Amino acid sequence: MDAYEVIATKLDVREFSSKSVPAEIKRKVLEAARLTQSGSNLQHWRFILVEGKENLKRLAEDSTSGKWVAGADFAVIVLTNPKYSFHMFDGGRATQDMQLAAWNYGVASGVFTGIDRRALARDFGIPDELNPSVVIGFGYPAKRVIGKKNRKPLGDLAFQDKYGKRLAI
Ligand SMILES: Cc1cc2nc3c(=O)[nH]c(=O)nc-3n(C[C@H](O)[C@H](O)[C@H](O)COP(=O)(O)O)c2cc1C
């Protein structure tokens, strides 16, 4: 797949097969996060790789909107430093890069932001200065991913030269 195709076909998946994702792919996913740009190249983020049924179950218990992560093959907790106003922006970019890198290998993923922060910090040893911004669950999809994206048309979102002016391309 080329980069556009990866973006165009990637859907959030919350049901995963029991097939294991090879360690090399997991490492590539984390490398994709590491290689992402951050504001002033601060790299204030940290990533926790979560593997194993028990740990994934605990992660699900610490979530308010991501119980499905219990069925993932692995997950990544994205931590960012809230002392930077752009920390969530950076976290979002690293998240997207990880998801796209994974999808290039046929590994699907979903994200959740509903987190019981206190429980997560306790269970995964997160230091006080870092914010658990998002959790990504990864795995091979349980079903073939052939959904259509539910997105607004481009003409509603992008303009020509001036806000509201119709695109000329
Ligand atoms: C900032 C953000 C927060 C999200 N939070 C959750 C969440 O808490 N739980 C969840 O299951 N999905 C969550 N999602 C996934 C979105 O629901 C999903 O990206 C959106 O529905 C589009 O999915 P699609 O690409 O499959 O069409 C979140 C996505 C983003 C970008």
Side-chain angles (χ1 to χ4, degrees):
M1 282 194 276
D2 66 20
Y4 179 78
E5 206 186 330
V6 174
I7 293 164
T9 59
K10 192 230 161 276
L11 291 167
D12 262 29
V13 165
R14 300 180 182 89
E15 282 175 74
F16 303 94
S17 88
S18 54
K19 186 178 158 197
S20 300
V21 176
E24 312 87 79
I25 296 181
K26 292 179 183 172
R27 198 159 179 105
K28 278 258 168 72
V29 166
L30 290 169
E31 282 289 352
R34 183 180 76 86
L35 293 169
T36 301
Q37 299 93 338
S38 55
S40 302
N41 203 20
L42 283 165
Q43 303 166 70
H44 52 89
W45 46 39
R46 296 293 181 268
F47 308 99
I48 304 177
L49 173 68
V50 181
E51 296 180 300
K53 283 217 169 319
E54 276 308 306
N55 289 332
L56 289 162
K57 194 169 155 266
R58 195 160 307 126
L59 190 58
E61 283 163 6
D62 295 347
S63 148
T64 56
S65 60
K67 300 291 182 202
W68 47 264
V69 82
D73 181 68
F74 71 102
V76 175
I77 304 171
V78 178
L79 307 171
T80 58
N81 194 323
K83 79 176 172 187
Y84 304 113
S85 60
F86 45 82
H87 74 105
M88 293 292 260
F89 182 79
D90 287 343
R93 295 188 80 198
T95 297
Q96 187 75 359
D97 279 352
M98 283 190 268
Q99 290 194 279
L100 294 176
W103 185 231
N104 187 48
Y105 297 107
V107 174
S109 60
V111 301
F112 67 85
T113 47
I115 293 166
D116 179 340
R117 283 166 206 282
R118 193 187 291 235
L120 197 81
R122 179 198 61 213
D123 291 340
F124 295 91
I126 297 166
D128 288 346
E129 66 275 17
L130 292 177
N131 183 59
S133 297
V134 55
V135 176
I136 318 160
F138 293 91
Y140 290 107
K143 312 184 262 241
R144 233 179 113 216
V145 180
I146 38 165
K148 192 174 168 335
K149 294 214 187 211
N150 176 17
R151 301 292 191 265
K152 293 179 180 173
L154 188 59
D156 289 1
L157 306 171
F159 307 118
Q160 183 82 38
D161 301 324
K162 208 172 173 181
Y163 188 92
K165 192 174 163 205
R166 218 153 78 90
L167 269 187
I169 56 165

